[in-house]
Amino acid sequence: MDTLETRELRYFLAVAEELHFGRAAERLGMAQPPLSRAIQQLERRLGVCLLERNRRGVSLTGAGEVLLHEGRAALDATTAAARRTRRAGGVGSASGTRNRLVLAVKAAASHELLLKLLDAYAAEPDAVEVEVLPSGTCEQEEMLRDGRADVALMHAPYNSLAGFDSEELLSEGQIAVLPAGHPLAGRRTLSLADVSDLPDLPLARWPRHGTYPPGPGPEVRDQTQLAQLIALGRTMAVFPDSSRAWLWAEHAAVPLTDAPPVVTHIAWPAHSRSVALAGLIRTATEL
């Protein structure tokens, strides 16, 4: 049996991510017994054990780990195909515009570069509508993979470019963004060691795949939340130098002398054959 149904993948991924049949069933909006039967049937069809079940709970086998990784990619691909097809037909556009492009950007990052790109592309004779989709830290990758975006501005080393085609656009240094009244805010420069473990300013935590990593820092969902928490003296952040564009009067930006440069790339799915996308990429590389 070499084919899988998307329904089966959704069921398995819910259990594999929750590692609990009850929570997975609740997430899927179904009862637990039919979910358990569906997973057992999937294991019989594949001829492998995907989950270890015992009194302590549920864990993934080696085969289950493979299906978790491959299944996510497969579901992202089918979702992306549906979203991009609908977008090409004008679905979801307020103006009904066909063949529009969705550009994912990290909120407030590369502000000047983004303005230049949008203005230069709009002047092209064959330009299409470009919808800018702000995202949180590292969300651009997921947006490209699941079809919410057609193209993205991504920042190495923070974003992974694996599986995408890309072109380098900009390289810049990094800054520590601190509360204006903090003792370190008056320094001309700082090192990563200076800001890596500040008990009074623990680093904020951004969600990845819907969950927050462990740590003492506050949980944030967007740039506005982060900006306010920094202003209140609850956290700090490390950002590319271009992020100065969104700083408040209550913030201080101090250059980090030993931080690796941040390289901004324009990235897109490797299999894309969009003529409009090719035009946007050409404009970006000519800036």
Side-chain angles (χ1 to χ4, degrees):
M1 199 286 293
D2 294 325
T3 60
L4 292 168
E5 298 178 4
T6 55
R7 176 184 57 84
E8 292 176 314
L9 285 178
R10 284 197 300 271
Y11 287 0
F12 171 74
L13 290 180
V15 177
E17 291 169 356
E18 297 290 344
L19 292 178
H20 190 282
F21 276 90
R23 289 194 299 268
E26 183 178 354
R27 170 173 151 183
L28 292 165
M30 63 186 299
Q32 182 175 334
L35 175 60
S36 298
R37 288 194 296 271
I39 298 300
Q40 291 169 358
Q41 182 180 18
L42 175 61
E43 289 177 316
R44 287 195 297 270
R45 290 178 62 209
L46 290 173
V48 297
C49 178
L50 299 171
L51 301 166
E52 293 286 356
R53 307 159 178 84
N54 54 48
R55 293 179 180 178
R56 291 175 295 178
V58 178
S59 60
L60 290 169
T61 64
E65 291 280 1
V66 171
L67 187 57
L68 173 61
H69 175 76
E70 298 288 346
R72 279 174 176 161
L75 275 187
D76 281 348
T78 57
T79 302
R83 283 173 170 161
R84 292 192 174 111
T85 299
R86 287 166 59 83
R87 192 151 57 238
V91 177
S93 171
S95 60
T97 303
R98 295 174 182 269
N99 203 24
R100 63 192 172 96
L101 294 172
V102 176
L103 170 62
V105 299
K106 180 181 172 182
S110 306
H111 182 69
E112 184 177 352
L113 174 64
L114 178 60
L115 284 176
K116 288 181 179 179
L117 172 58
L118 294 176
D119 287 346
Y121 179 67
E124 293 292 326
D126 297 325
V128 302
E129 175 190 344
V130 177
E131 177 186 339
V132 177
L133 183 61
S135 69
T137 298
C138 297
E139 286 185 341
Q140 303 100 305
E141 305 161 42
E142 296 175 22
M143 290 176 171
L144 276 186
R145 288 193 171 95
D146 67 17
R148 283 176 287 170
D150 302 296
V151 59
L153 293 183
M154 301 188 21
H155 311 279
Y158 297 110
N159 296 128
S160 171
L161 298 168
F164 302 119
D165 285 341
S166 65
E167 290 284 348
E168 181 179 327
L169 302 181
L170 173 70
S171 181
E172 58 185 320
Q174 298 195 67
I175 56 174
V177 181
L178 303 158
H182 193 272
L184 293 179
R187 298 268 293 271
R188 294 186 63 182
T189 61
L190 291 168
S191 68
L192 286 172
D194 292 329
V195 299
S196 62
D197 188 21
L198 297 174
D200 58 332
L201 293 178
L203 284 171
R205 292 174 293 139
W206 294 85
R208 295 299 302 270
H209 303 298
T211 61
Y212 288 90
E219 297 178 353
V220 296
R221 295 185 302 276
D222 56 50
Q223 203 79 20
T224 301
Q225 276 188 332
L226 178 62
Q228 185 171 29
L229 288 169
I230 294 174
L232 291 172
R234 303 300 176 88
T235 188
M236 57 83 61
V238 174
F239 279 113
D241 190 74
S242 58
S243 298
R244 293 176 185 268
W246 62 263
L247 297 188
W248 297 3
E250 296 89 348
H251 298 157
V254 184
L256 292 167
T257 56
D258 58 347
V262 174
V263 182
T264 300
H265 295 77
I266 188 167
W268 63 96
H271 62 270
S272 176
R273 297 294 182 269
S274 167
V275 175
L277 177 57
L280 179 65
I281 295 163
R282 182 176 60 252
T283 300
T285 57
E286 293 174 351
L287 290 177

